[in-house]
Structures are given as structure tokens and as C-alpha cells.
Amino acid sequence: MRLILLGPPGAGKGTQSERLVTAHGIVQLSTGDMLRAAVAAGTPVGLEAKDLMARGELVPDEVVVKIVADRVEEPDAKNGFILDGFPRTLRQAEALESMLAQKGIKLDSVIELSVDEDALLERVERRAREAAAAGKAVRSDDAPEVVRKRIGDYKSVTAQLKPFYSERGLFAVVDGMAPIENVTAAIDGILADTRASAS
Ligand code: AMP
């Protein structure tokens, strides 16, 4: 099972990924996590990525593609993976396609968790208010203007990726505003269809 999960902040990608990891024995590969680890370890990739990440800019395509190419070769990814935060550009999508083809790996599906932008902002703002009321620290990336920017960035990403993966018959959309169980059921349905059409 190899899939790409797309969705803006607050769409529930983390929750659904955890469930998919448990249900299918696959790994979640987040390029953001991998880059943060590289920065913390002070590797050459980390040194290159550090300032760009701090400014919220994208790390060069070839750097990200290389870390993904290396990571999918590791034993724990042999059974399958969920790509999270990658690809983020058309060039990355093209590079991923040729890299997987070279490795003889087939991508099963690209699933977008779609959300209602106003409801999403409300959800994130409520989370911030509740945290503040409980005397907890409010996540800095939950500030409404930051969330708006992250949603905007995300929209330009999907605008590029949706046509690319739709042309290849891989793109599917799930209502990310539905209850968690329903979202999981919808994703399972897509994956079951994918398996059925492959066999
Ligand atoms: P994330 O945790 O996915 O929000 O990623 C955090 C930061 O890592 C981003 O703001 C980028 O600087 C960098 N990053 C993560 N994934 C990618 C990617 N696919 N392409 C370029 N930069 C990335």
C-alpha cells in the first residue's frame, strides 16, 4: 500500500495516517519530520534546509527528492508508506514518478482530505481558545493569520498536483470534515477499490 495523503493543516491527516499505519503495517514518511531531524542532527542536508525552513520556504526539490528516495529503500518502508508533505511541487511529483518507476514501486492512490476553509479556521481557533482557557500554551502555528497562510500555501500545492494525479487516475477526494470514523471508512473504501482494480 503506497499512498500520498494531501490536506491542509487541521484536516486530520495525522489522525488518519496513524490509523492507516496500524491497519496496514506501513510507515508514515513526513518530509517535514525528516528535514527537522536532519536539522537537529546537523547533517549537510540539515544545514542546507535550516534557514529555508525557518523562513517557511521550500527546500530545493532535489534535496527533498533525494531524502525520500533513500527513505523508501529502508526495510520498514518495504511493506508500504504514506507520503505526508511530499510532493509539494509538480517537479517533485514528476521526480517521484520516475524514481518509483526505477525502483519498480507502484503508487496506489493520492487521497485529498478536503475541508471547508471557514469551518477549519473555526476549529483551529476553538483549539487555541480552549488551550488558552486551560492555561496551556497556544501553538504558534495555530494563530489565525498563520493558519490562513498555511491553507493558502496548501491550495497552490493541490492546484498543481490534482490535475497531475487525476490524469493518472490516482486522485481521490474524501470529506475531511466528516466524523473521524467516516473519514477512515471512506479512505478504506478507496483503498479497497484500488486493490480490486489492480487484481
Ligand atoms: P511540514 O512539516 O510538512 O509543514 O514541513 C516543514 C517545512 O519543511 C516546510 O515549510 C518546508 O520548509 C520543508 N519541507 C517539507 N516538505 C517539503 C517538500 N516536499 N518540499 C520542500 N520543502 C519541504
Side-chain angles (χ1 to χ4, degrees):
M1 179 62 51
R2 277 123 197 145
L3 58 130
I4 296 173
L5 205 51
L6 299 173
K13 269 187 309 168
T15 306
Q16 297 301 328
S17 291
E18 262 175 40
R19 291 175 160 226
L20 288 163
V21 163
T22 310
H24 299 280
I26 57 180
V27 286
Q28 181 192 8
L29 306 183
S30 151
T31 42
D33 286 350
M34 290 186 249
L35 289 166
R36 279 183 286 275
V39 170
T43 65
V45 164
L47 293 177
E48 184 167 359
K50 191 173 180 203
D51 292 342
L52 292 166
M53 291 177 76
R55 291 198 296 271
E57 287 171 27
L58 290 183
V59 172
D61 290 334
E62 54 282 9
V63 173
V64 195
V65 169
K66 170 88 170 73
I67 59 171
V68 173
D70 291 345
R71 186 63 186 86
V72 298
E73 292 282 0
E74 286 181 28
D76 64 346
K78 288 285 176 244
N79 201 30
F81 50 77
I82 305 166
L83 288 173
D84 173 5
F86 178 91
R88 257 177 161 97
T89 65
L90 202 51
R91 277 193 58 211
Q92 289 180 12
E94 287 162 354
L96 176 68
E97 184 170 66
S98 52
M99 178 232 294
L100 292 180
Q102 270 169 23
K103 295 181 194 292
I105 296 174
K106 197 178 141 297
L107 192 61
D108 295 297
S109 196
V110 179
I111 300 177
E112 178 183 27
L113 299 183
S114 75
V115 294
D116 171 328
E117 217 174 288
D118 291 337
L120 188 66
L121 272 169
E122 212 176 281
R123 192 194 268 184
V124 177
E125 278 168 9
R126 192 176 53 236
R127 189 161 77 186
R129 272 199 311 276
E130 286 170 358
K136 295 187 197 144
V138 177
R139 282 171 45 175
S140 59
D141 58 356
D142 272 358
E145 60 283 6
V146 179
V147 174
R148 269 191 206 102
K149 180 189 176 318
R150 290 165 69 204
I151 293 173
D153 289 349
Y154 168 75
K155 279 206 259 186
S156 68
V157 169
T158 30
Q160 298 180 61
L161 299 184
K162 188 174 173 173
F164 182 85
Y165 287 116
S166 296
E167 268 170 32
R168 288 152 177 80
L170 291 173
F171 194 80
V173 181
V174 165
D175 176 9
M177 302 310 287
I180 292 174
E181 293 300 336
N182 299 21
V183 177
T184 304
I187 294 175
D188 284 344
I190 291 167
L191 297 178
D193 286 351
T194 306
R195 277 195 297 269
S197 61
S199 59

